Structure formats: C-alpha cells, structure tokens
Amino acid sequence: MEPPSSSGFYVSRAVALLLAGLAAALLLALAVLASLYGHCARVPPSDRRSLEVPNAASFSPLGQEGPSSTQEPVPTSEPQVTATSQDWRPPGPWDQLRLPPWLVPLHYDLELWPRLQPDKLSVQLLRFSGRVNITVRCAVSTKRLLLHSLFLDYDRAEVRGPLSPGTRNDTVGRVPVHDVWFAMDTQYVVLELGEALRSGSRYELHLSFSGPIFQEVREGLFLNTYTDRGERRALLASQMEPTFARSVFPCFDEPALKATFNITIIHHPRYVALSNMPQRGQSEKEDVNGSKWTVTTFYTTPHMPTYLVALAICDYDHVSRTERGKEIHIWARKDAIANGNADFALNITGPIFSFLEDLFNISYPLPKTDLIALPVFDNRAMENWGLLMFDESLLLLLPSDQLTEKKTLISYILSHEIGHQWFGNLVTMNWWNNIWLNEGFASYFEFGIINYFNPKLPRNEVFFSNFLHGVLKEDHALVSRAVSMKVENFTETSDINELFDLFTYNKGASMARMLSSFLNEHLFINALKSYLKMFSYSNAEQDDLWRHFQMAIDNQSEILLPATVKTIMDSWTHRGGFPVVTLNVSTGFMKQEPFYLGKAENQTLQAHNDTWIVPILWIKNGAPQSLVWLDKSSKVFPEMQVSDSDQDWVILNLNMTGYYRVNYDKLGWKKLSQQLVKDPKAIPVIHRLQLIDDAFSLSKSNYIEIETALDLTKYLAEEDEIIVWYEVLVNLITRDLVSDVNDYDTYPLLKKYLLKRLNSLWNIYSTIIRENVAALQDDYLALISLEKVFGAACWLGLEDCLQLSRELFRKWMNHPENEIPYPIKNVILCYGVALGSDKEWDFLLNVYINTTKEEERIQLAYAMSCSKDPWILNRYMEYAITTSPFTFNETNVMEAVAASEVGRYIAKDFLINNWQAVIERYGTQSLVTLMYVIGRTISTDLQIMELQQFFSNMLEEHQRITVHAKLQTIKNENLKNKKRNARIAQWLRKNT
Ligand SMILES: [Zn+2]
C-alpha cells in the first residue's frame, strides 16, 4: 500500500488540507463501521436478509469444470445452516488473534455475485452473495474449524473428505457439521464437526455466504459512485490488505497461509469484471427475476496470500501496451481515457516492470497487469498481484496538473506498487509484525527506479524530503515503536491496521538505504536477488533476509563488518528511536546516546546499555573517507581530529544515508559555520540541508544551544538552493511565531535578518515566475519548496513579493481562465485578499460558488480567511453558519478564520455571540478545536481562566476538563517557545 500522506513533502498544502478533511471522513467511516459491527453482532441469524444464494447441494467445484451452472439452483431438502453468535463459550483458540495451525489452505474456488445493476444505482443497501470451496490439508487432527469471517452471513457450510490424493472427487464422504458460530471479537467463524478431521488428509470446505458492500469505507468489497460522460455511474472494487479479505469471503486470512485461487465473478452484462488473472471464459446466467447476468471466470492465480486477492467490476475504458509480450492495461473513466489522462502512467509502467525484472533477474510471473484508477480510494494505491489499484488523482495526469509535482508523484507511486510485485507479492513477510519488509523495500526502490529513468533528480535531497525529514521528527527513544515488532505485541486485529505508518514506510526505507550504504550497491542487490529467489511464492522473516546478506558478505573479502548483519541490523530494527552521534573534533572522541525529545539536563548521566552499531561514513574537507563503525557507546577516531588553527572541517553521515543525527563539540560546529561563510559550495547541498536540520532539531531538544544553530544561517545570502532555504524557514518561521502578535520583538529583527539574505534566491524565482514559469515543471525541489519561500517572503513584508501577489491576483481576476502558477497559488490567493478589499473577497466567493472541485474549494475557503478587514471576516463567518454554499462543504470556516493572522480575536467574539449556531453547523467537537486554535498563543494562567470563563457555558463538563488540560500543555509549550524566541531575538540583535 501507499505510505500515509503526511510523510513529508509528498503533498501540497491544499492537498494536505483536503487530506485532513479525508481523515475526518475516515473517522466518521470508522464510526459507521463500528456501529455496523455492533449491529451485526446483535442481529440474530433468523433476521438475516433473504438472498438469492444458490444452494450448496448444486454447487459444483468451480474452475476445473468451467463456469458454474447457468440455471438458478433448485433448493434441496437439506437443512440450512443456522449460524449462531457467541453467547458464551469457554476460553479457546477463538480468543487468539492468530489462527491455530490445524489446517493449511491449498486452494480456493471462489465465486462472488455482487448485486450491482447500472439502472438501479439508488438501491440503498447493496449486498453480495458468494460461494467458496476451500481445499485444505489437515495438519493437526481436530473436530473444530476456525476461519476468518467478518460481517458475513452463512447459508450453508459443508465439509467433504478425506479426498483421495491427486483427484478431485465429489462423491467422497461428508463430515457432519453440528454447529456454526461466530467469535466476533477475533473475527472467526467456528465450525463444530461431528467427527475429527484426520491429520495428513485433505478436505474441502464448502461455504455459501452473503455480505455487505461498503459505501462509506473503502475496505472489503466497496462501491464508488462518480460521474462519467455526464452520467452518474458506479463501480465495485476490493481492498483486502491487511485484514479485509475476511469480509468478502471466509478464509484463512494470514499472509503466510498462501494458496491458489480460481475466481469467478457474476456481474451485470454492461460491466467488465477484472481480477488478478486474465479472463478465462464467460457465460450467461439468469436470476429468479429473469434478469441476465454475465459469469466471468479467471485463470488460476499463483500461490499467494488472501490480502492480495482483488476484483473490480466497472464500466470503464482502457488503454493498453505490451511489454516483453505481456499486456498492460490502465482502466479509468471513459472521459479520462478519451482525454489521454492515463497516457503518462501507461508510458512508464512497462519500462519500470522491465527495469525491476532485470535488476532482480526474476521475471514478473503473471501474464498480464491491470491498473485501475478509482474515483475514491482511501489507501491511495494497492499492489494487488496483477490488478493494481490507485486513487485516480495519483495515476491520472490532468492538464491542470501542470507545474505541480504530480508527474513525479505518479512515478513514485507507480514504482512503489510495481516494486511490491517482488517485495510482498512474490516474497511475503511471515506475518504483519514484519510488514516493513514489504513496505520499506518497495519504498526504497522507488528511488532506485526514478533515479534510473531521471538521473538528474537529486536523489539524496529527494529521499531526505520525502522520507527522512518526516520520520526523524517523529521518532524518539521513549515512545516510538520498533520497525520490526514482536508478534506478542499484537492483541487485536486493529493493531495490524496501525502498522501502516511512518515507521513501516519511512524508517523501513531508511533501514534499506543505510544497509546498502555500508555494503555496496552490487552486494546489496545480489543478496536481495538470492533472498527473492529462495522465498519466491513463500514467506520470510526478517532473519531470513539478514541470512542472505550474511551469505553475500561471507562470499567476499572486500567488505568487513564489525559484527554479523543480523547483530548490526537488529540494533536498529528491534527498538524505537535513533542515536545522536557526537564528535569532539579536538580529540576525535565519538559517543552515541539515544535521542530524546526535549532532553532533560541530567538525561546524559543516565546509563544506557543499549547501543546501536552505527556505520559512520564521513567527509573531511569535502572528500569522502573510509567507513568506520561506532559499535559501542564511545570510541576515539584520531583521524577525525582537527585543530582550531587549521582549515579542516569534518562532517559525519555522508549523504545522510545513516539513520541518526550528528552533533559536534563547539569547535566542530564553529568550523562548519565558518566554512559555510567562506565557501558554502564546498559543502554539498545534502549536507547543508543536514546541518540545518540536525542543528535546529538538536537545539530544540536541548542537545545544543539555539545560537549554534543560528550561527549556521549567517551564510544564507550565498545560498541559492531552495530546499535548504525551505528547511531554514520551516525552523525559523514557525506557526507559533506567525500567530503570536505579542512577539513584537522577534518579527522586525527576523525581517531585517532574513530579507537581506533572501534577496538572491528571491530574484532567481521571482524572475522565473514572471518570465518563464514553465521552467519550474522539472524542478521537483522547487515545486515542493516554493510555497513556503513565497509565503515567508510576503509575511516578512518583502515589497516585491507583495507587488507580485497583487499583480498575479489582478491578472487572474481579469482573466480567470489563466491559472495562477500552482506552487504559489495559496500564497497569491491569500495575499490578494489580504491586500485587497471586499472586491477581491467577493470575487473569490464567486469563484467558490462556481467551482465543483473540492481541492479548489478548500483553497478558496482558506484564502477568504486571509482578509485583514474585521467586517469582512465577520460577514464570512456569518455566511458560513447561515448561507449556502458554505453550509454544504466541510471546511470549518470558523477554524480557518481563528487560525488567520487577524482573525483570532474576531473569531472569539463571534463565537461568544453565535455559539449555538456554530454548534448546529459544525458540532460541539468543533468548539473544542476552536478553543485550541484561539488559545494557541496563551502563556499565563490568567489567559486560560479568561478563555474558560468565556466558553464555560458552551462546553460539556468532560469537554471543559480536556480543554483545560490541553490549554495547560499549550501554555507550557508557549513558555518554552517564548524563552527560545527571546534568545533568537537577542542573537538577531547582535548579528543583524
Ligand atoms: Zn506499499
């Protein structure tokens, strides 16, 4: 799957806002799911909806014999299964998260029949029915069968066998099924048998079932509705990873329980059905009402886990290409295909497959690949074998995507999902605790692939921006989880869902990158090749991977490691956090300690036995030096000594390939800031970025003084790399500083200090924007950094920035068909409104009313809150709670106004007078959020009391308590920031 979108620079601000909205929608969806779950648990089996489910007696095994019967089956006199829910059961294996090892699934014949009809889209509750025959081998004799099952109702459950070896025989005996019941919490269906299955024998489980098609969440089998060619349409798609296959069919839903699948889909003739494998045949079927349905069967899949099973039923068009004799299709709305929106992705998909086939020397085993662009897909993308799914915004390139990072983003996401065809699909982690083996490597190879096709893209800087930057900020010794977790740490199914986070993706990718840095690329790839070959169609543990690296190491003599690969890597993957490595350049003494967020003064004194085995690649005066290892808590490296008098300087962690931060003694930092002033270009861009990022982060957590970090910014007049500026501005112009009008001290000093230095960079980019904005298209780092740089320049009052904003805004007002350059659109809209009057504001409102694009609406809603006129802001909030169109969208206008520069006090007053209406419009929870936004700059208890008094009658008792606690935290945080800002101000006074 795709990484969480908050992981770095992947998304622009507007998209981030949009995603924040989606997160709220997801919460809502979870609530719906929870209530649905509760509902299912309560409904007695007799209340189940009646369904047109074929009777199991006429259910011939699918696949081998071809498509199933085209006649509706005649009910037999066999008694129907009555599934009962778990009233009370003694403790047993159904209380465990993991399946007991009694049965091994070998093959599934799966038939699914969702009742989606293009002319009946208004049907409220869509359902599907299904049948599955699972061939299993009994490993431990048992009278009880456990399968995963969630939200499914059963009509029939039979067990046949033992099967004679090598044949499929329907005339074999039946094992009586006495009871079928559900263990709801652990998501099992339990079959109680009349006699025990024999160990070593094979059996067939025949189950008929039905279940819901989800509309609010994109899990299991779900519905998307959308518009195409001016018509409302619908499609169905599936998302099984990690644990949703069990809501589509009863199964052994664990990644190591791989099997082959023969899939059959029954669908309306107007739709096309897609699955992992190519279509094998089609036939027709009539239901009891006389409606005709198409039965599509697919070829047998390779051995694969349940979470990769996929299907889609849609009314889409496609484009195709052949790569090395295999068909690649991209499916999307007919309009999108006609407009060529899928062409960019189609052109790069084949070459990415070929590149990875050659790199790993393993052919992609499936005969075809389908990629489908879904109108709404929460997971962003999913690597299902042979049927990759994407949110359409991440696969299709629209004309309006000019000057966005969309092309690069599509390339990365495609590379990631195609990388999974090897890491995950061919070789799968043994269980979810090691999901990083899938996601970390798929993420790492994004960079190898993109770099191959686009060698000019600055690989290290992009990896820093997209991966390292985000995760280093979140990872720290006390609370972060390990990349590779113990299975025992998982108690509930929901624990598995929480694994798809920064640590799995970003830290996982960083682990792979660090490993490749201290081996070499050749050895790294060779080890992976032998690992992939060995575990093809099977599963692996982290230790299996390390073993293959060790074999590669042992087969050569050039690279020597201080310990086994397993010992080195376990020190990184089995615990949270990362080390701070400190070098004293006078003595060459180097030590490591865990990074704590906000380290207390005495924390260094604490003994910590845990050490990382740290690879230290380093440079001296710009030249790379040989690798050394810090394999204990401290060590002396005489070769790293430099004296005060000589010109030498040293930087550790070459290209930031190591997953750690670097600290120096006073002399070490001084040498670096002097070097930056003397000749900044002697220090590579990635290390200028590293120095800023490490120094500000270390100062924030009390490892070094803030003045040391500030010293590194003196050279900035000579800095023309926008990504370095981005990093500086993120650290200096924080949200707290922007919203704290009481901090009159820092602002003018910062303005003077930064504007003087920003000039040359400003000239470069303002000229490009004025004269040749198209030149930005291939500058990825500029596309992701420009908004911050422009926003800062205007906030600091740079006259030319304000002038440019006025110009571009006016140009756009006169010719709205000429878009504002995307990377700076938010800034221009905001300052256009801030510098303008109600004329500009009304113009935005008009655009807002006439646009249907959600992303643009969010952008405009925020821009309208930038006004500096109190009466306009008051009117805006009045509109928001009373008039359409604001009543129909999800942007919380109150919050936007309260978060804006002058809006806080206006929002507060407005709220006091209108809180009933605000609750009606946005709900009580929004009051709590508003309190935090309004209270963002408080620094005294009196202010807390005052706020609480204002809002006491609006909040419930429990809300008052949480708000009070949160305000206290905000206050303490602000007091700390104030001290820091005072020191920044003092430093600026001295250095301006
Ligand atoms: Zn993934």
Side-chain angles (χ1 to χ4, degrees):
M1 279 198 285
E2 262 301 303
S5 53
S6 56
S7 63
F9 296 80
Y10 259 135
V11 282
S12 68
R13 186 188 129 183
V15 180
L17 292 170
L18 177 67
L19 290 169
L22 287 178
L26 185 67
L27 283 178
L28 182 72
L30 287 174
V32 169
L33 194 68
S35 69
L36 184 59
Y37 182 86
H39 174 74
C40 282
R42 281 194 303 274
V43 174
S46 54
D47 283 352
R48 280 173 296 153
R49 301 164 56 89
S50 64
L51 285 157
E52 304 162 306
V53 176
N55 192 293
S58 65
F59 182 28
S60 64
L62 305 169
Q64 302 291 325
E65 290 81 8
S68 59
S69 154
T70 54
Q71 294 294 311
E72 279 292 298
V74 183
T76 68
S77 55
E78 289 254 359
Q80 295 279 297
V81 167
T82 358
T84 54
S85 46
Q86 180 186 12
D87 300 325
W88 185 87
R89 303 276 170 181
W94 43 84
D95 299 320
Q96 305 298 315
L97 184 62
R98 300 291 301 269
L99 279 165
W102 303 334
L103 297 184
V104 180
L106 305 172
H107 177 77
Y108 293 74
D109 282 317
L110 173 64
E111 178 190 275
L112 293 169
W113 185 359
R115 301 304 199 271
L116 176 68
Q117 289 172 282
D119 46 347
K120 290 182 190 159
L121 293 186
S122 52
V123 175
Q124 285 299 304
L125 277 174
L126 271 176
R127 307 266 304 172
F128 67 91
S129 62
R131 301 186 290 182
V132 67
N133 292 357
I134 314 174
T135 312
V136 297
R137 184 170 50 77
C138 177
V140 178
S141 178
T142 175
K143 277 178 81 172
R144 205 168 244 158
L145 307 187
L146 270 72
L147 285 96
H148 282 111
S149 176
L150 181 64
F151 305 132
L152 298 178
D153 294 328
Y154 288 83
D155 290 272
R156 188 149 211 91
E158 283 180 17
V159 178
R160 297 184 187 181
L163 307 176
S164 25
T167 58
R168 284 177 154 265
N169 189 346
D170 277 350
T171 59
V172 292
R174 293 189 182 186
V175 182
V177 178
H178 282 173
D179 191 14
V180 177
W181 58 276
F182 298 107
M184 291 292 184
D185 291 345
T186 40
Q187 308 180 350
Y188 292 122
V189 58
V190 183
L191 274 59
E192 304 279 0
L193 306 182
E195 59 193 59
L197 303 189
R198 293 207 296 263
S199 162
S201 295
R202 286 186 305 126
Y203 294 85
E204 270 185 0
L205 317 182
H206 290 213
L207 300 151
S208 301
F209 53 91
S210 65
I213 293 169
F214 295 104
Q215 305 193 28
E216 305 296 331
V217 289
R218 265 58 64 180
E219 292 170 1
L221 197 57
F222 61 86
L223 181 81
N224 261 200
T225 51
Y226 62 97
T227 311
D228 194 6
R229 303 204 158 157
E231 254 181 57
R232 188 166 166 262
R233 300 186 192 200
L235 63 76
L236 290 181
S238 65
Q239 170 63 29
M240 311 298 194
E241 190 182 23
T243 56
F244 309 122
R246 62 191 66 173
S247 67
V248 181
F249 59 102
C251 56
F252 299 87
D253 202 6
E254 291 194 7
L257 297 175
K258 290 188 172 184
T260 52
F261 294 81
N262 280 353
I263 294 171
T264 297
I265 300 172
I266 304 175
H267 55 95
H268 192 273
R270 186 166 142 194
Y271 292 120
V272 60
L274 302 172
S275 185
N276 305 81
M277 297 299 287
Q279 180 185 317
R280 191 178 59 186
Q282 270 191 337
S283 60
E284 203 180 69
K285 179 186 182 85
E286 212 176 274
D287 66 17
V288 283
N289 304 320
S291 302
K292 294 236 172 13
W293 295 81
T294 301
V295 181
T296 302
T297 58
F298 298 90
Y299 284 99
T300 311
T301 67
H303 216 56
M304 67 179 205
T306 44
Y307 83 83
L308 289 176
V309 169
L311 64 131
I313 298 173
C314 61
D315 183 14
Y316 267 6
D317 271 349
H318 68 277
V319 282
S320 307
R321 173 92 24 122
T322 308
E323 180 82 7
R324 297 188 173 170
K326 291 179 177 175
E327 287 277 314
I328 295 167
H329 310 285
I330 298 189
W331 299 82
R333 302 181 204 215
K334 296 178 176 186
D335 279 340
I337 293 292
N339 293 335
N341 301 153
D343 296 351
F344 173 73
L346 183 69
N347 286 341
I348 61 174
T349 298
I352 295 174
F353 267 101
S354 293
F355 172 76
L356 288 176
E357 283 189 334
D358 295 342
L359 186 69
F360 301 131
N361 197 23
I362 299 177
S363 299
Y364 174 67
L366 267 54
K368 64 92 183 174
T369 309
D370 286 299
L371 293 82
I372 183 166
L374 303 176
V376 187
F377 191 40
D378 311 332
N379 291 288
R380 293 158 54 86
M382 177 65 206
E383 68 265 22
N384 310 305
W385 223 353
L387 177 51
L388 288 69
M389 296 191 185
F390 299 81
D391 188 285
E392 63 180 8
S393 67
L394 302 174
L395 188 67
L396 305 180
L397 192 68
L398 308 177
S400 59
D401 290 329
Q402 251 181 2
L403 294 184
T404 69
E405 63 273 42
K406 194 53 90 47
K407 257 190 183 177
T408 316
L409 185 57
I410 292 171
S411 312
Y412 277 123
I413 286 177
L414 263 174
S415 303
H416 180 99
E417 303 309 328
I418 296 173
H420 271 310
Q421 309 304 308
W422 285 264
F423 288 96
N425 299 7
L426 189 65
V427 178
T428 314
M429 72 279 153
N430 220 18
W431 202 66
W432 298 108
N433 60 317
N434 273 323
I435 180 70
W436 86 271
L437 294 177
N438 280 13
E439 299 299 350
F441 281 87
S443 301
Y444 172 74
F445 277 104
E446 289 174 28
F447 289 85
I449 297 165
I450 303 301
N451 198 53
Y452 177 78
F453 290 105
N454 188 359
K456 272 197 287 184
L457 207 65
R459 183 178 178 156
N460 293 321
E461 289 79 4
V462 174
F463 190 89
F464 171 83
S465 303
N466 289 3
F467 281 85
L468 266 184
H469 186 264
V471 70
L472 284 176
K473 271 194 172 24
E474 297 297 321
D475 201 5
H476 43 96
L478 287 179
V479 298
S480 301
R481 72 169 180 86
V483 167
S484 169
M485 291 173 75
K486 291 199 171 86
V487 178
E488 305 86 83
N489 292 349
F490 295 78
T491 52
E492 288 175 25
T493 315
S494 58
D495 296 340
I496 297 170
N497 276 294
E498 284 164 16
L499 287 170
F500 294 81
D501 64 4
L502 280 176
F503 300 110
T504 289
Y505 289 86
N506 299 31
K507 192 170 178 179
S510 305
M511 293 296 107
R513 183 161 172 261
M514 181 163 67
L515 187 60
S516 85
S517 77
F518 67 76
L519 305 173
N520 60 46
E521 194 65 13
H522 180 71
L523 200 150
F524 178 76
I525 295 293
N526 273 347
L528 287 177
K529 273 185 193 170
S530 86
Y531 162 81
L532 287 172
K533 207 150 247 144
M534 173 65 88
F535 295 98
S536 284
Y537 306 103
S538 158
N539 297 72
E541 294 283 0
Q542 178 175 282
D543 281 354
D544 295 319
L545 180 63
W546 303 152
R547 200 171 315 115
H548 281 260
F549 276 103
Q550 194 59 48
M551 278 154 49
I553 290 283
D554 294 344
N555 279 337
Q556 52 88 58
S557 53
E558 203 179 310
I559 294 164
L560 295 171
L561 300 180
T564 61
V565 174
K566 176 176 159 55
T567 314
I568 295 171
M569 291 310 292
D570 280 357
S571 80
W572 294 91
T573 62
H574 279 171
R575 96 174 91 137
F578 58 83
V580 179
V581 171
T582 305
L583 172 69
N584 183 319
V585 296
S586 310
T587 59
F589 176 82
M590 192 192 290
K591 63 168 186 177
Q592 60 165 302
E593 60 190 308
F595 177 79
Y596 293 103
L597 213 56
K599 186 182 73 151
E601 298 298 330
N602 57 358
Q603 226 153 12
T604 33
L605 302 174
Q606 279 175 17
H608 43 85
N609 322 327
D610 287 348
T611 49
W612 286 263
I613 303 180
V614 190
I616 311 277
L617 285 154
W618 59 294
I619 50 177
K620 191 172 197 173
N621 306 332
Q625 308 292 311
S626 35
L627 167 71
V628 297
W629 289 88
L630 181 60
D631 51 359
K632 33 189 156 172
S633 58
S634 67
K635 234 172 166 175
V636 176
F637 296 96
E639 66 270 36
M640 292 182 190
Q641 283 175 14
V642 293
S643 74
D644 201 3
S645 56
D646 66 32
Q647 302 289 311
D648 293 349
W649 51 272
V650 165
I651 290 180
L652 306 188
N653 198 7
L654 177 66
N655 292 330
M656 293 189 88
T657 52
Y659 188 73
Y660 54 91
R661 288 202 188 277
V662 183
N663 188 11
Y664 304 89
D665 64 331
K666 281 214 160 66
L667 179 63
W669 284 115
K670 192 178 110 189
K671 294 237 145 206
L672 290 166
S673 55
Q674 282 173 346
Q675 179 59 38
L676 282 171
V677 171
K678 203 171 66 186
D679 179 13
K681 295 280 158 77
I683 298 178
V685 183
I686 182 66
H687 291 295
R688 293 180 341 244
L689 204 51
Q690 174 199 21
L691 291 175
I692 298 288
D693 190 47
D694 279 355
F696 276 97
S697 160
L698 291 171
S699 80
K700 214 171 277 172
S701 289
N702 309 326
Y703 286 82
I704 59 172
E705 313 280 315
I706 176 68
E707 291 78 5
T708 307
L710 290 167
D711 282 341
L712 295 171
T713 65
K714 286 182 185 169
Y715 85 101
L716 280 173
E718 304 297 319
E719 184 56 81
D720 52 12
E721 288 292 339
I722 193 164
I723 188 74
V724 181
W725 266 102
Y726 175 98
E727 194 57 37
V728 170
L729 296 172
V730 162
N731 278 294
L732 279 180
I733 304 183
T734 56
R735 201 182 62 172
D736 304 297
L737 187 68
V738 174
S739 57
D740 191 359
V741 290
N742 294 321
D743 197 352
Y744 45 80
D745 214 15
T746 318
Y747 178 77
L749 290 164
L750 206 56
K751 173 175 174 163
K752 204 167 159 200
Y753 181 77
L754 284 177
L755 284 188
K756 203 164 85 189
R757 290 166 173 78
L758 189 58
N759 235 331
S760 96
L761 185 88
W762 173 262
N763 286 338
I764 298 173
Y765 285 98
S766 60
T767 309
I768 292 177
I769 299 242
R770 283 193 167 104
E771 292 171 8
N772 181 21
V773 69
L776 286 174
Q777 184 52 65
D778 293 319
D779 189 348
Y780 178 71
L781 295 179
L783 291 174
I784 61 175
S785 310
L786 264 176
E787 183 174 308
K788 182 73 190 173
V789 171
F790 264 64
C794 281
W795 183 74
L796 291 167
L798 180 67
E799 191 40 55
D800 193 42
C801 183
L802 301 174
Q803 183 54 35
L804 185 61
S805 299
R806 269 190 222 104
E807 259 172 51
L808 290 174
F809 194 88
R810 206 164 299 146
K811 235 165 96 184
W812 176 64
M813 272 178 81
N814 294 334
H815 299 280
E817 69 283 3
N818 294 340
E819 286 276 334
I820 298 169
Y822 185 87
I824 53 167
K825 189 171 173 188
N826 282 321
V827 180
I828 303 299
L829 290 178
C830 185
Y831 279 90
V833 165
L835 300 168
S837 64
D838 53 333
K839 191 177 139 205
E840 283 75 14
W841 200 95
D842 290 346
F843 181 79
L844 280 201
L845 178 63
N846 192 44
V847 179
Y848 182 96
I849 290 167
N850 289 307
T851 185
T852 51
K853 290 185 215 143
E854 185 59 16
E855 190 187 337
E856 193 176 14
R857 281 179 157 236
I858 294 170
Q859 236 176 359
L860 293 165
Y862 272 86
M864 283 186 272
S865 72
C866 294
S867 172
K868 306 241 191 256
D869 284 327
W871 75 269
I872 292 182
L873 292 175
N874 265 313
R875 190 184 63 175
Y876 184 25
M877 290 185 285
E878 188 70 38
Y879 283 168
I881 56 171
T882 52
T883 11
S884 60
F886 295 111
T887 41
F888 297 111
N889 95 88
E890 286 311 314
T891 310
N892 192 320
V893 168
M894 292 295 302
E895 277 176 41
V897 172
S900 70
E901 257 182 83
V902 299
R904 182 151 37 103
Y905 299 99
I906 297 161
K908 192 166 120 187
D909 280 349
F910 185 87
L911 193 56
I912 290 165
N913 298 319
N914 300 281
W915 62 276
Q916 278 294 2
V918 173
I919 288 177
E920 269 166 42
R921 172 64 187 88
Y922 296 112
T924 45
Q925 190 50 39
S926 85
L927 285 183
V928 175
T929 317
L930 272 168
M931 289 281 283
Y932 302 152
V933 179
I934 291 170
R936 192 180 281 162
T937 56
I938 52 165
S939 56
T940 64
D941 286 332
L942 198 66
Q943 285 173 311
I944 295 184
M945 266 169 59
E946 185 207 39
L947 265 182
Q948 287 214 302
Q949 232 156 29
F950 274 131
F951 294 109
S952 58
N953 52 340
M954 307 177 197
L955 299 176
E956 313 264 336
E957 176 63 26
H958 71 278
Q959 288 176 323
R960 278 202 288 272
I961 294 169
T962 47
V963 164
H964 183 77
K966 174 83 180 187
L967 289 177
Q968 279 292 347
T969 318
I970 295 177
K971 184 197 85 179
N972 293 337
E973 195 63 29
N974 284 345
L975 284 175
K976 231 169 60 191
N977 286 338
K978 264 193 188 317
K979 270 191 206 156
R980 185 178 159 88
N981 287 344
R983 280 175 71 174
I984 294 178
Q986 204 179 0
W987 185 92
L988 288 170
R989 223 170 276 126
K990 259 191 253 158
N991 290 280
T992 304

